[in-house]
Amino acid sequence: MKFADLHLHTFYSDGTYSPEELAARASRAGFAAISLTDHDTLEGCPATAEACKTAGIEFIPGTELTAEIDDHEIHLLGYGIDASHTELSRQMAKFQHVRQDRIREMVARLNRLNIPLQAEDVFTLANCRSPGRPHVGRALVAAGFCSGIDEAFERFLKKHRPAWVPKYKMSVSQAIQLIHDAGGLAVLAHPGLSRIDDYLPLLAGGGLDGLECFHSQHSATQTERYQLLARQYHLLITGGSDCHGRSRGKPTLGSVRLPMEFVDLLKDRWELLKGSPERTQSIEVSPPA
Ligand code: AMP
Ligand code: ZN
Ligand code: FE
Ligand code: FE
């Protein structure tokens, strides 16, 4: 049987592998197809595509965007998007800018806690346009302020911890629209971590294409349940490890193996829908009663 991993990061965002290392490891782990889904960027896709070609692996270009629904943060995976789409490039440049400003603000908060880290330390370590909290965590570890990334998140970076800064997020409708306009499919990432099951009917009605049922942090029960929900709402079933490389202890590449039949269904839907722009409906969320 052939398998895929459709959720992976490189050092073009907060992963640690290069595109070449990622493709080589995916090949050694026996994958037939992978997708690169770096946060707010497609920059790593050309090099990963090239390395996958050499390794004889099928490559699907992707990205992971942050959005919100009713104050809940969600992550949307965009598959098969066109990197030359002007509006997408413009929006991604904006999200990257927002990420860089957020790093400066997190560092300022750390400084107020008498931790003399500099934003430049984080940027040098991140060495990418799409830096995030893991880079701040790694900089804290490198400078000896924390013993590990987990401690950095626990003490400073987790939501509502002292150096946490809320992130600008587009609405889920905007994110789905952006992915569709750029010719892609929009998939809700790791629903088991976002805990927004009540919104699934709304999202499906709003044009969401798929649900990431298989994920390294989903339990077997969650994986089963999300597959049932995906079938109920006519959503594609996808999956991936969300491997960030060596950043969090043991590498997770290989921990999720999505049967290729799901990739074939995704490709069929992509072929069918890429010529039809009218598939996003606005999502109206009524305020809580
Ligand atoms: P950001 O996009 O800057 O908000 O950072 C989110 C990223 O941080 C996620 O994609 C994960 O890779 C990582 N992350 C989130 N929570 C934790 C945690 N508790 N420990 C380690 N990494 C985390
Ligand atoms: Zn990440
Ligand atoms: Fe995510
Ligand atoms: Fe991810």
Side-chain angles (χ1 to χ4, degrees):
M1 194 138 135
K2 289 173 151 189
F3 297 98
D5 185 332
L6 300 184
H7 190 157
L8 295 163
H9 296 272
T10 64
F11 61 30
Y12 281 96
S13 69
D14 56 5
T16 63
Y17 295 148
S18 66
E20 293 74 20
E21 194 175 358
L22 182 69
R25 283 175 182 269
S27 171
R28 282 205 294 279
F31 285 107
I34 62 166
S35 177
L36 176 63
T37 52
D38 270 321
H39 301 279
D40 297 332
T41 183
L42 288 161
E43 257 184 300
C45 287
T48 311
E50 195 57 41
C52 282
K53 200 168 155 190
T54 309
I57 298 176
E58 188 177 341
F59 178 70
I60 296 168
T63 187
E64 182 171 12
L65 302 179
T66 307
E68 68 183 347
I69 184 163
D70 238 2
D71 287 337
H72 300 282
E73 176 170 325
I74 62 162
H75 293 178
L76 281 176
L77 300 162
Y79 291 117
I81 41 196
D82 169 12
S84 67
H85 189 266
T86 317
E87 180 58 14
L88 180 72
S89 309
R90 209 176 64 81
Q91 290 294 334
M92 282 188 161
K94 182 173 116 184
F95 301 144
Q96 291 163 16
H97 195 82
V98 165
R99 282 177 169 274
Q100 292 162 23
D101 283 345
R102 182 171 176 242
I103 300 282
R104 290 188 190 90
E105 180 56 29
M106 286 193 272
V107 168
R109 292 187 190 202
L110 287 166
N111 293 164
R112 275 178 242 138
L113 299 164
N114 292 322
I115 293 177
L117 196 73
Q118 310 239 322
E120 277 316 309
D121 300 338
V122 182
F123 293 137
T124 303
L125 181 146
N127 193 28
C128 72
R129 278 187 252 271
S130 217
R133 282 182 290 162
H135 295 117
V136 181
R138 284 176 220 160
L140 284 167
V141 175
F145 297 113
C146 295
S147 62
I149 271 274
D150 288 343
E151 185 193 325
F153 268 86
E154 216 38 64
R155 279 175 63 196
F156 304 114
L157 303 171
K158 254 169 74 166
K159 193 171 183 181
H160 302 312
R161 291 291 195 267
W164 173 77
V165 176
K167 183 158 70 176
Y168 160 81
K169 298 180 266 306
M170 64 190 144
S171 75
V172 69
S173 295
Q174 283 173 298
I176 293 174
Q177 183 80 59
L178 190 59
I179 291 169
H180 285 174
D181 285 351
L185 294 173
V187 172
L188 181 66
H190 42 67
L193 306 186
S194 307
R195 299 174 181 282
I196 50 141
D197 295 4
D198 294 349
Y199 294 93
L200 282 179
L202 213 57
L203 290 167
L208 185 74
D209 299 290
L211 198 57
E212 190 179 49
C213 304
F214 299 83
H215 185 273
S216 50
Q217 293 187 60
H218 282 177
S219 66
T221 315
Q222 284 176 319
T223 306
E224 276 309 308
R225 199 162 58 84
Y226 285 117
Q227 286 185 83
L228 288 175
L229 287 168
R231 290 183 209 283
Q232 184 179 345
Y233 297 115
H234 306 288
L235 296 167
L236 291 163
I237 291 169
T238 77
S241 62
D242 206 356
C243 175
H244 283 72
R246 290 173 298 268
S247 57
R248 277 198 247 166
K250 61 178 186 336
T252 45
L253 185 64
S255 63
V256 170
R257 292 181 179 269
L258 179 74
M260 275 303 275
E261 64 193 70
F262 295 117
V263 181
D264 294 336
L265 290 170
L266 181 131
K267 283 177 359 196
D268 289 349
R269 177 126 163 194
W270 182 76
E271 283 292 339
L272 196 73
L273 293 179
K274 66 180 175 185
S276 50
E278 301 300 324
R279 48 196 175 106
T280 322
Q281 306 293 321
S282 77
I283 295 171
E284 301 291 339
V285 182
S286 29

